[in-house]
Amino acid sequence: SAAGSTSRDECLVCAGAGLLNARRSVIVLGSGNTARYLSQASGIEKTLVRLTVAMAGHLICRNEETRSALIQAGAKQGDVSIMPGFLGVESESSRSVPGVVETFLDRHEPVLGATASIDLEYGIPMMLTLVERLRTEYPCVGLILMGPTRDVVQERYGSLPEQILVTGPLPHGAVIGTMQRLRMFLRPT
């Protein structure tokens, strides 16, 4: 596939760059399609994969199926490690939701949320428009913006309706706890 060959080429370049710097590169293969791609590789693709595997210092993949496919492609067993893509989050007790967020959650439904900055790429204007449009069908809709302060958001984008809670910076556990309570997490970037 095009995506597979792009990833293959990127891995080859990274492995080669490591050798040019007199080091061996660590290459992380996070795609769930890696094993299938490697099993279907033929001709020049298979040669490029073998070259990449030989030049790499270490390969990290997500599961045993991919590890086996890398070994079949020529990697040494000791040069391939499995590391899950998700390593978990802190314990339940460290995920407290701030009182102001709890109150907001009790008064609004559905509640959407985002971690944001006032920079345009975080899409605050898009989220504000979304909430305004949703209010016709969901009069109690709410939006929680974690990160910036209300004053900074209002200074940049104008006054905010009561459906918008801007929390300012929150501790990591509070962000995770809040995210778990949202109906939908928005990522307009």
Side-chain angles (χ1 to χ4, degrees), residues 9-68:
D9 296 345
E10 290 170 351
C11 290
L12 179 60
V13 168
C14 288
L19 291 178
L20 288 174
N21 290 314
R23 296 186 175 148
R24 310 260 330 242
S25 297
V26 174
I27 298 175
V28 179
L29 301 158
S31 171
N33 294 324
T34 301
R36 184 176 54 215
Y37 172 78
L38 292 174
S39 70
Q40 294 173 352
S42 60
I44 189 74
E45 283 185 324
K46 188 171 260 185
T47 301
L48 291 173
V49 167
R50 288 191 178 281
L51 178 62
T52 300
V53 164
M55 290 191 307
H58 198 83
L59 300 161
I60 298 173
C61 61
R62 301 294 184 227
N63 54 47
E64 184 57 44
E65 180 185 19
T66 303
R67 183 179 181 278
S68 295

Side-chain angles (χ1 to χ4, degrees), residues 74-86:
K76 297 177 188 160
Q77 284 190 2
D79 290 345
V80 184
S81 297
I82 297 173
M83 182 181 294
F86 176 73

Side-chain angles (χ1 to χ4, degrees), residues 167-179:
T167 66
L170 295 174
H172 181 71
V175 170
I176 298 299
T178 300
M179 287 171 66

